[in-house]
Amino acid sequence: MAVTPESLHQRVIFKVLLLMVSGAGILYFLINIQRGLVGLAWVELAMSIASLWLWRNVDALKALRLWSFLYLIPFFSIILFALSDPRISYGMFVWVLLIPIVSYLLLGLWRGFAMACLFMTLAAIVYIWRFHSNPEVINTVVLANVMVCAAALWAFSHIYESSRERSQRILLKLASIDALTGLYNRLRLTEIFNRERQQAEVQRQPLSLLLIDLDYFKKINDHYGHDTGDQVLVAVASHIQRNIRRRDSAFRLGGEEFCILLPGSGREEAHVVADVLRTGLAEQHPLVAGLPVTPTLSAGVATLGDDGKDFVHLYSMADQRLYLAKHSGRNRVVSQGQALQGDSVAGENASSPVLQATL
């Protein structure tokens, strides 16, 4: 399971809660034994022991949200069970204020909202049932204070979690998107490949990887400047996005190198996609307004199974074929052990085809 900032955040909070509950459980076990609340005392001790066990093992838990959900149900239920005892004073109802805070922190925005709704409603029912005949507790001032305080904590918890999740989504997007082209960056490649590989294996579908490199890109930068080079990269990224399916994933790996994952596409289909990108790019003239820049690309294709079972082997094979395409004349696609022959021979000239018209 991938470790995300969100899972780390929730794991730390869960560990703090477990320690707090284990300590409080032992304390209240001793207090309630002395007060004669034997049943409640043993329930609290059992919760304390369970909390200590979870605390020792929390770092190894995979389904953290599920474990949090399964833990909070008995935890909140014990709070309500204790508060329903006539021998417990109404001051213990302050524990109810933990419900929305802990629910949001451990379960996220909407799961936390649902959990808080359920147990806060039950807590209100228990409160009214316990004290409906006690005018000192059930009066306008007391009820107003309790309701306003509970509503404020609930609202702050909801707003905090909503803002935190929104900020995290923005940060994750910024961390995984190439700022220049808007494509995924190298950081997301392995993660998305592993996801697509699992689906391909389950559905018994092919999966191919394309590595693409622009030919003579350094000469574009040297002759026209890096600003123009950046415009070329943006245009190439746009060209790639227009010519792949919604299910495909495109990446800029750095410099002038791109990668495309093609789920459901075997070697032949991937070669066709790469060649469509190649020929379409060569026909864009001028690519950058006002400048006769016509870059070409070379590509290497690798397919899951035939060329490797994991990302490292698949990437290595595609890289070798990209290298072969470069050293076989450029402006071509290689999807097997040798360069495929066809009409992609424009790159065989010794001079750069990008700059022939202007140099």
Side-chain angles (χ1 to χ4, degrees):
M1 181 190 67
V3 177
T4 64
E6 183 175 17
S7 67
L8 290 173
H9 166 80
Q10 291 171 340
R11 203 172 296 270
V12 170
I13 292 172
F14 196 24
K15 292 175 74 173
V16 172
L17 175 66
L18 291 170
L19 279 177
M20 182 195 73
V21 172
S22 61
I26 293 172
L27 174 63
Y28 282 108
F29 167 75
L30 297 174
I31 292 174
N32 288 326
I33 283 290
Q34 292 179 346
R35 297 176 62 190
L37 303 175
V38 178
L40 178 58
W42 284 107
V43 169
E44 290 169 336
L45 181 62
M47 194 67 191
S48 177
I49 294 172
S51 299
L52 283 174
W53 181 86
L54 271 176
W55 177 79
R56 287 175 57 87
N57 295 278
V58 69
D59 290 328
L61 299 179
K62 293 184 178 180
L64 185 64
R65 281 267 174 95
L66 177 60
W67 278 100
S68 300
F69 178 79
L70 295 176
Y71 178 82
L72 290 182
I73 289 178
F75 174 50
F76 292 157
S77 298
I78 290 172
I79 292 176
L80 296 183
F81 172 71
L83 296 177
S84 66
D85 193 313
R87 293 168 292 182
I88 299 296
S89 70
Y90 71 88
M92 293 297 294
F93 271 84
V94 295
W95 280 88
V96 171
L97 300 179
L98 278 177
I99 291 175
I101 299 172
V102 173
S103 296
Y104 279 105
L105 289 176
L106 289 182
L107 300 180
L109 186 62
W110 295 113
R111 293 184 185 91
F113 176 77
M115 180 73 80
C117 278
L118 173 62
F119 281 96
M120 291 294 280
T121 300
L122 292 175
I125 293 172
V126 170
Y127 186 87
I128 294 171
W129 173 74
R130 277 279 315 274
F131 305 110
H132 68 279
S133 60
N134 187 339
E136 294 183 0
V137 177
I138 300 296
N139 63 66
T140 304
V141 175
V142 172
L143 286 178
N145 286 330
V146 170
M147 291 175 63
V148 169
C149 186
L153 284 173
W154 194 341
F156 289 144
S157 298
H158 190 89
I159 293 170
Y160 166 79
E161 187 61 23
S162 177
S163 300
R164 189 192 66 81
E165 288 190 0
R166 189 183 307 113
S167 298
Q168 184 176 351
R169 285 195 298 269
I170 293 172
L171 290 174
L172 287 175
K173 183 176 181 180
L174 291 174
S176 62
I177 298 297
D178 176 61
L180 177 64
T181 63
L183 301 180
Y184 289 124
N185 61 22
R186 184 184 289 270
L187 293 175
R188 289 296 304 278
L189 179 54
T190 304
E191 175 191 342
I192 294 179
F193 173 83
N194 289 333
R195 183 188 69 200
E196 296 292 355
R197 183 187 64 178
Q198 291 177 355
Q199 293 183 0
E201 291 173 347
V202 170
Q203 299 174 3
R204 298 183 181 276
Q205 294 290 320
L207 172 64
S208 294
L209 182 149
L210 303 182
L211 279 186
I212 295 172
D213 193 85
L214 299 185
D215 300 325
Y216 302 108
F217 185 73
K218 184 177 184 300
K219 293 186 178 181
I220 295 178
N221 278 333
D222 292 344
H223 184 71
Y224 295 113
H226 288 277
D227 288 342
T228 298
D230 287 347
Q231 293 180 55
V232 170
L233 292 173
V234 171
V236 170
S238 178
H239 173 67
I240 290 173
Q241 289 179 309
R242 287 196 307 269
N243 288 278
I244 61 176
R245 304 164 301 178
R246 291 178 61 88
R247 64 184 298 194
D248 302 330
S249 301
F251 308 80
R252 181 188 175 206
L253 303 183
E256 67 274 23
E257 190 173 12
F258 298 85
C259 177
I260 305 174
L261 291 179
L262 300 169
S265 297
R267 187 185 309 279
E268 293 182 2
E269 294 91 343
H271 181 91
V272 170
V273 171
D275 210 48
V276 167
L277 292 172
R278 181 191 65 80
T279 55
L281 182 63
E283 291 169 359
Q284 293 189 30
H285 182 80
L287 186 62
V288 179
L291 297 173
V293 181
T294 308
T296 60
L297 64 80
S298 300
V301 180
T303 303
L304 184 68
D306 295 338
D307 298 319
K309 298 292 186 181
D310 56 33
F311 175 76
V312 173
H313 289 90
L314 212 62
Y315 186 94
S316 176
M317 186 59 69
D319 193 46
Q320 291 177 42
R321 288 171 180 161
L322 173 59
Y323 179 86
L324 180 58
K326 287 285 191 181
H327 287 264
S328 299
R330 293 180 170 83
N331 192 23
R332 63 182 62 229
V333 178
V334 176
S335 58
Q336 295 188 31
Q338 59 183 8
L340 300 179
Q341 300 301 317
D343 63 350
S344 55
V345 295
E348 295 179 358
N349 299 312
S351 62
S352 167
V354 178
L355 304 178
Q356 287 182 62
T358 57
L359 293 183

